[in-house]
Amino acid sequence: MAGRNKQPINLILLKGKSHLTKEQIEERTKTEVKAPADDVKPPKYLTKTLKKEFTEIASELQRIDLITNLDVDALARFLLAREQYVRVTKELRSIPPTITVEHPETGKKLKVANEQYGDMLLAQDKLFKQCRAAASDLGLTISSRCRLVVPKKPEEKNPTEEEQLFGDAL
């Protein structure tokens, strides 16, 4: 039986479910792999508009250390799904949910569900779910940010007066 995937130590601590000692926490913190974020740029397959959106969102995520080079395609897929969701939603507004048809035998006019509207509604729902899942993975929703552990940058220590005067000689 295979074990569960190892969660980052910061996530374990955030959940408050740590059974680890301070030494174990320190060791795990030192050994966890951190992917580089030195090449976060929009993929070539995005349109000019989507590249601009990519850059805006990526810069916000970089500001809080939540995106790495490995996340570039995930952000691009989110933007593509969102673009399609918006397109389908706009089109859906122009389609009536019901249509009037004539009963073949009686000739009476009847209102029935518009199949085209139903199909577009299903497409919209699928795209919404894709967007929501991708946004959650990337920390773009309020609830997902509440669950994320934002890596802290090491604090810069201000040197004491003695350290300024004597430097490494102390």
Side-chain angles (χ1 to χ4, degrees):
M1 184 168 161
R4 286 187 278 169
N5 290 337
K6 201 174 203 180
Q7 293 182 334
I9 188 65
N10 288 337
L11 182 58
I12 293 170
L13 296 174
L14 181 69
K15 289 179 178 179
K17 297 182 179 180
S18 174
H19 60 281
L20 303 171
T21 66
K22 287 182 182 179
E23 292 80 22
Q24 289 172 319
I25 292 170
E26 190 174 311
E27 180 62 28
R28 285 214 25 203
T29 302
K30 287 178 187 176
T31 60
E32 283 183 357
V33 176
K34 176 88 169 101
D38 59 348
D39 194 28
V40 177
K41 56 186 174 195
K44 290 180 171 50
Y45 59 84
L46 292 179
T47 64
K48 185 177 179 179
T49 303
L50 290 180
K51 284 180 182 179
K52 184 176 184 257
E53 288 182 48
F54 179 99
T55 302
E56 289 170 2
I57 293 171
S59 67
E60 287 297 314
L61 292 171
Q62 282 178 312
R63 214 166 45 84
I64 55 175
D65 291 333
L66 282 183
I67 192 167
T68 69
N69 300 344
L70 300 175
D71 303 314
V72 167
D73 278 325
L75 179 54
R77 283 190 303 273
F78 163 73
L79 291 169
L80 290 167
R82 188 179 70 177
E83 180 184 53
Q84 290 300 311
Y85 171 79
V86 169
R87 185 187 60 74
V88 166
T89 300
K90 284 179 182 177
E91 192 173 327
L92 192 56
R93 288 185 191 138
S94 68
I95 301 171
T98 59
I99 55 173
T100 304
V101 295
E102 192 174 301
H103 190 279
E105 293 175 11
T106 63
K108 277 188 169 182
K109 303 257 183 206
L110 304 170
K111 274 198 169 195
V112 296
N114 185 344
E115 284 185 41
Q116 184 186 10
Y117 183 83
D119 292 343
M120 292 299 285
L121 205 55
L122 288 174
Q124 182 194 41
D125 184 56
K126 285 180 183 179
L127 289 164
F128 176 79
K129 288 175 181 171
Q130 285 178 17
C131 287
R132 185 181 59 206
S136 181
D137 290 346
L138 291 164
L140 301 177
T141 64
I142 294 168
S143 60
S144 66
R145 281 192 303 278
C146 290
R147 291 189 304 264
L148 288 174
V149 177
V150 178
K152 292 183 180 174
K153 292 185 179 181
E155 291 182 24
E156 288 186 25
K157 183 181 152 191
N158 290 331
T160 64
E161 195 173 318
E162 287 178 339
E163 290 172 328
Q164 286 177 353
L165 291 172
F166 302 107
D168 291 334
L170 293 176

